[in-house]
Amino acid sequence: MSRALPKYDKRRVAVIGGAAAVVLSGAVIAGSALAGTPDGSDGAANARTLAAAGTITCPDVASRLPAVPASAKAEVDRNLTLLQTQINEANTRLARTVGQGGPNFVNNAILGPLKDKRASTIDRIAIAIGRTTTKPTGLDTLAACTLTK
């Protein structure tokens, strides 16, 4: 007896296999579509709402500076430009990460590191001014930024 399947059995196996593949792929598609539906019970939905609905707003440092000596003007201007670049990068990251992380994602991954970068840059501004005149104080309170909707 031959080991090969008769012709009609091969067709039957191909039809049943094709039908099973269609049914399984439909189940996978339906399952993945239903799994992505937020039910409000997880914190990720809140993070998606926060990230999608806002921009980052930071206090204006330039308006709070004392008179800048001519010898420090170039360094202060460069650092003020850097502060604006940091805000722009944070807003770009905010837009790219919509839906990622948990409820504290924006604070931990975007606003926290931005505050640290701004604090360093503001400190460099104060040091540059302090080389010629009295170093300004209280500028560190301008480092924290908020998410506005």
Side-chain angles (χ1 to χ4, degrees):
M1 180 167 204
S2 170
R3 291 185 152 225
L5 291 173
K7 192 173 190 176
Y8 65 91
D9 283 340
K10 288 181 185 177
R11 268 190 242 137
R12 186 177 337 149
V13 168
V15 169
I16 292 172
V22 169
V23 169
L24 287 175
S25 64
V28 168
I29 291 170
S32 65
L34 292 175
T37 305
D39 61 353
S41 63
D42 62 347
N46 295 335
R48 264 180 255 144
T49 303
L50 284 176
T55 58
I56 295 173
T57 306
C58 301
D60 183 35
V61 176
S63 65
R64 302 278 303 271
L65 292 176
V68 178
S71 61
K73 182 92 170 112
E75 187 175 357
V76 169
D77 288 343
R78 187 171 49 251
N79 282 308
L80 288 173
T81 302
L82 181 59
L83 287 173
Q84 188 57 48
T85 302
Q86 292 168 350
I87 295 169
N88 293 341
E89 289 172 352
N91 276 318
T92 301
R93 181 151 189 235
L94 182 67
R96 278 188 292 168
T97 58
V98 171
Q100 291 183 7
N104 292 323
F105 176 78
V106 173
N107 288 329
N108 295 337
I110 298 174
L111 292 178
L114 177 61
K115 179 181 178 182
D116 294 340
K117 289 178 189 177
R118 283 178 56 84
S120 296
T121 305
I122 291 169
D123 191 41
R124 285 194 300 270
I125 291 171
I127 290 170
I129 294 171
R131 284 189 194 117
T132 309
T133 68
T134 305
K135 181 179 175 182
T137 58
L139 294 177
D140 55 337
T141 61
L142 303 174
C145 299
T146 58
L147 183 67
T148 59
K149 295 181 181 186

